[in-house]
Amino acid sequence: MASTSRTRTGRGRGRGRGSGSSSLPPPPSTLPLIIEEFFIVVYEDPLVKKVRTPKKFADYLDGKEPAKVYLRAADGPRLWTVEVLFDGQGRMYLDKGWEKFAIAHGVDFGWFVHFKYEGDDVLTVKVFDGTMCRRYYYSDDEDTDDESDDDVKPCIHPL
């Protein structure tokens, strides 16, 4: 019977401290800062004209500050146009248009609003109510004109 010789490094099964190259990711300090998701908790009147986003998200957009963004409920095709303000001190606000979105989605005190940046100035939004359950919305019309609020209707909770 022929004998084969195998050279082993480390302690076997690929989990030891062998002398081969590491497949571990680089330490967090060397990774690029990508802020794609953030949330806000509604502590003030949700129908105010502007809502502040986290500073890290504003920093992420540094150098490519959009004049407006488009909010899309995660379960709907409609885009809501919202003007964006940057205050020159590194803070970003969702301004004109936020109020319409908040009214149409019934955003209230104590609610949690999750945003995911999809690129091209689009933020996908999930709204969670005071029970910390996600609210679901549907649209009868795929019209993306944000002047009409008739095509967006909230559903209480799916069964």
Side-chain angles (χ1 to χ4, degrees), residues 43-139:
Y43 289 120
E44 297 178 24
D45 183 357
L47 305 182
V48 296
K49 290 198 174 207
K50 60 183 179 181
V51 172
R52 187 171 140 187
T53 65
K55 184 172 179 349
K56 281 190 177 183
F57 183 69
D59 291 345
Y60 174 68
L61 295 178
D62 187 35
K64 52 184 181 254
E65 295 94 349
K68 58 188 167 186
V69 293
Y70 304 94
L71 304 183
R72 181 177 61 84
D75 45 3
R78 181 176 177 178
L79 294 175
W80 297 78
T81 303
V82 176
E83 291 180 10
V84 176
L85 293 178
F86 289 88
D87 67 0
Q89 298 177 3
R91 290 184 291 258
M92 173 183 160
Y93 297 86
L94 301 178
D95 193 28
K96 186 178 177 188
W98 163 254
E99 183 180 6
K100 280 186 177 183
F101 180 87
I103 289 170
H105 293 84
V107 177
D108 205 351
F109 292 102
W111 287 24
F112 177 95
V113 184
H114 175 267
F115 298 86
K116 180 176 183 186
Y117 185 64
E118 303 289 351
D120 296 325
D121 304 330
V122 175
L123 292 164
T124 298
V125 182
K126 294 179 184 177
V127 178
F128 296 80
D129 65 20
T131 67
M132 291 296 142
C133 292
R134 182 170 163 208
R135 301 264 307 196
Y136 287 85
Y137 304 89
Y138 66 91
S139 174

Side-chain angles (χ1 to χ4, degrees), residues 17-31:
R17 297 182 187 167
S19 61
S21 65
S22 173
S23 62
L24 296 175
S29 62
T30 62
L31 295 173

